[in-house]
Amino acid sequence: MNQVRVGVSDIELCAYLDSELPADRRADIEASLARHPESRAKLDAWRRQGHQLRATFGRIAQEPLPRQLTASLVEPVKISFVPQAAPKSTPLPQPTLRAAEPALRAPGATPRNVWRNVGLALLGFSAVAGIAASGLLRTIHSPSEPQALLAATSVPGFGLTRHAAEAHAAFAPQGGRWLDVRSADAAVLTTFAVQAGLDARLPAPPAGLRLLGLRMTPGDGGLAGLALFESDKSGPVSLYVTRAPRGAVPGIVLRETSSLTIATFTLDGTAYALTGAASRDQMVDWASALRMSLLQPRSLRGS
Amino acid sequence: MQFRDRIVATLPDLRRFAGALIAPGHVQSCGLVDDLVARAAASVLRERHESGTAVRLALYSAVIRLSQNRDSRQPAGMATLPPPGSFADGLLSLQIQHRAALLLVSLEQFSYEDAAVVLGVSRTFLVAKLSTARQMLARRLEASNERPATHLRLVK
């Protein structure tokens, strides 16, 4: 039989060490420790552990906080949840096949507006069907289909969120099929994006996301980039990168469609929209991590 | 004090805790630790705990929750592995719940009540984890002291 257990139990020894015992019980333990040197030795070893922990890691708390860490908190971070969101005043794009898909509806959109959207979508569908009947359908089904659809919907004022959702719906399900550059290195993709004319940095992928590559697409302010990620649990995730519109809201703004969550933020004149089917919390975590990555000096990001 | 200021005031201690929890091989904080701390802070910022104490507990709780997404006995990402047999190596050998219990009480000086809240367990369960962690760490360090030192040299 182990004498230590007979003398003072480990649970009581812990509570004694951490001053979590009432005074009368402490006196009992002290008397018992005098009779059981093994318990005393164990107590001393545990006490040394505490000293060593504080000596080893204590200095971390004395370090100055990194700028990017405080910057990510000091700057206002606004998170708004707008179900089925799109600006009310957003002009409808030219009718296309995509308009018939589950819509990004304006907050508080009236059924009348919804029916108007559906009507225009059907009109667009009819137009496409007419084209198909005249023998031109092959161009719609060619490998350039997503690009054609995006080009058709890239009208000024269309909105970052909606562009991001459209680009995600067009390219993300195809995985790496539509990529211009396949690389897991954000620095490589940034170089390509800058050379292509998109003056923006691409962040390193956060934990849980694997970078597949980059696709260039037309956007409101000229060229836009779409970095594609894959995740184990939430399917494809994309990051739409373009020039920031005027009057961009600081912080992270969250919007949702019926199936997608879009977290947008602006940094150094560039707008980023992370789109995927993950939960709201997960998307904000990823967006925060991406934003943190962009706030870090280039040397830390390996670019 | 503003809500955001209360979070910022906790960050130095939180970085110390997160560093010891996920990258004990580093005696200084690293980018991965800061990433974890930033995500925890952003998470608490969203939830908006009102009382000052709750903010502190919620931040530690968020760090542990986010750390558990990774393999608990592997250091974070590119964090340096501590030398075998070192104190940090012994710490890393503990399961993350045991490690967290030990760090909360011995490093961060939390009361049992607060540490139990952070871990989301009862006080009894916390003390059991703490006791196990201390025993395992002591056993591990004792074993490494008894083991003859291995000297590696480069052979060309």
Side-chain angles (χ1 to χ4, degrees), chain A residues 6-217:
Chain A
V6 174
V8 184
S9 75
D10 287 343
I11 301 288
E12 283 185 313
L13 208 54
C14 265
Y16 175 79
L17 176 62
D18 299 321
S19 305
E20 291 272 349
L21 282 180
D24 55 338
R25 190 64 194 132
R26 282 188 70 82
D28 292 344
I29 298 290
E30 277 161 12
S32 185
L33 284 172
R35 293 194 304 274
H36 295 91
E38 298 86 354
S39 296
R40 168 62 68 183
K42 184 180 278 188
L43 180 69
D44 290 342
W46 289 0
R47 191 169 277 144
R48 280 196 300 277
Q49 285 179 8
H51 291 323
Q52 200 157 357
L53 276 174
R54 290 186 286 279
T56 306
F57 301 108
R59 71 187 74 170
I60 295 178
Q62 311 302 322
E63 294 172 10
L65 288 175
R67 188 193 67 84
Q68 66 268 22
L69 183 56
T70 47
S72 70
L73 292 169
V74 173
E75 289 170 18
V77 174
K78 178 186 176 185
I79 296 173
S80 62
F81 173 56
V82 186
Q84 310 288 336
K88 234 178 192 175
S89 58
T90 299
L92 282 170
Q94 295 168 11
T96 65
L97 269 176
R98 301 214 60 74
E101 291 200 354
L104 287 151
R105 289 196 296 270
T110 61
R112 185 178 164 190
N113 288 342
V114 173
W115 283 113
R116 186 189 63 179
N117 292 354
V118 171
L120 285 171
L122 288 173
L123 185 65
F125 184 79
S126 305
V128 172
I131 293 168
S134 63
L136 295 175
L137 190 61
R138 256 185 305 179
T139 59
I140 300 294
H141 284 292
S142 70
S144 62
E145 177 186 11
Q147 195 171 14
L149 293 172
L150 278 177
T153 55
S154 296
V155 293
F158 197 57
L160 171 67
T161 309
R162 204 161 184 180
H163 269 311
E166 288 280 347
H168 180 89
F171 296 123
Q174 310 291 331
R177 188 175 169 196
W178 303 105
L179 292 175
D180 291 324
V181 181
R182 290 170 205 276
S183 174
D185 189 342
V188 171
L189 300 183
T190 293
T191 305
F192 172 79
V194 171
Q195 284 174 350
L198 176 64
D199 186 18
R201 288 184 290 155
L202 293 173
L209 288 183
R210 286 181 301 281
L211 190 53
L212 295 176
L214 180 71
R215 164 85 195 189
M216 305 308 285
T217 77

Side-chain angles (χ1 to χ4, degrees), chain B:
Chain B
M1 192 185 278
Q2 294 287 321
F3 180 74
R4 198 180 310 279
D5 295 339
R6 294 209 299 269
I7 291 180
V8 173
T10 312
L11 290 183
D13 290 353
L14 196 65
R15 289 174 80 227
R16 174 181 59 202
F17 173 73
L21 188 70
I22 68 164
H26 291 254
V27 290
Q28 291 182 322
S29 188
C30 60
L32 294 161
V33 170
D34 287 334
D35 177 59
L36 174 65
V37 169
R39 290 170 62 203
S43 161
V44 171
L45 203 58
R46 286 201 304 278
E47 293 164 13
R48 280 263 167 196
H49 294 257
E50 286 310 319
S51 97
T53 310
V55 169
R56 183 172 164 80
L57 300 188
L59 284 166
Y60 279 85
S61 197
V63 163
I64 294 169
R65 177 169 45 82
L66 293 169
S67 305
Q68 283 172 330
N69 292 340
R70 67 179 91 243
D71 182 351
S72 61
R73 271 169 283 189
Q74 292 297 318
M78 297 290 286
T80 308
L81 275 172
S86 64
F87 182 74
D89 183 51
L91 196 59
L92 200 58
S93 70
L94 302 178
Q95 287 181 7
I96 198 160
Q97 282 276 319
H98 290 128
R99 206 184 315 157
L102 179 64
L103 293 175
L104 285 172
V105 174
S106 289
L107 179 63
E108 302 299 321
Q109 309 280 296
F110 273 61
S111 68
Y112 282 1
E113 190 180 349
D114 284 351
V117 170
V118 168
L119 286 170
V121 298
S122 68
R123 182 192 157 101
T124 309
F125 200 63
L126 169 85
V127 185
K129 280 184 183 301
L130 184 59
S131 163
T132 306
R134 282 174 166 157
Q135 285 183 72
M136 289 175 71
L137 182 58
R139 212 172 292 149
R140 181 98 180 183
L141 294 175
E142 198 177 329
S144 65
N145 286 339
E146 287 170 2
R147 195 182 308 146
T150 308
H151 297 287
L152 298 178
R153 64 193 174 91
L154 186 63
V155 178
K156 290 186 179 177

Side-chain angles (χ1 to χ4, degrees), chain A residues 133-297:
Chain A
S134 63
L136 295 175
L137 190 61
R138 256 185 305 179
T139 59
I140 300 294
H141 284 292
S142 70
S144 62
E145 177 186 11
Q147 195 171 14
L149 293 172
L150 278 177
T153 55
S154 296
V155 293
F158 197 57
L160 171 67
T161 309
R162 204 161 184 180
H163 269 311
E166 288 280 347
H168 180 89
F171 296 123
Q174 310 291 331
R177 188 175 169 196
W178 303 105
L179 292 175
D180 291 324
V181 181
R182 290 170 205 276
S183 174
D185 189 342
V188 171
L189 300 183
T190 293
T191 305
F192 172 79
V194 171
Q195 284 174 350
L198 176 64
D199 186 18
R201 288 184 290 155
L202 293 173
L209 288 183
R210 286 181 301 281
L211 190 53
L212 295 176
L214 180 71
R215 164 85 195 189
M216 305 308 285
T217 77
D220 259 356
L223 202 59
L226 189 76
L228 281 183
F229 303 91
E230 60 178 2
S231 67
D232 291 332
K233 295 177 184 170
S234 312
V237 175
S238 66
L239 181 71
Y240 186 85
V241 184
T242 187
R243 189 182 304 161
R246 281 183 187 175
V249 180
I252 297 174
V253 179
L254 200 63
R255 292 176 183 271
E256 281 195 346
T257 70
S258 55
S259 59
L260 293 174
T261 303
I262 304 144
T264 60
F265 59 93
T266 304
L267 211 60
D268 297 335
T270 303
Y272 298 85
L274 187 72
T275 307
S279 67
R280 263 185 273 175
D281 282 352
Q282 180 64 81
M283 292 299 288
V284 173
D285 277 349
W286 280 336
S288 301
L290 289 168
R291 189 164 172 270
M292 269 292 292
S293 157
L294 288 164
L295 282 165
Q296 286 179 358

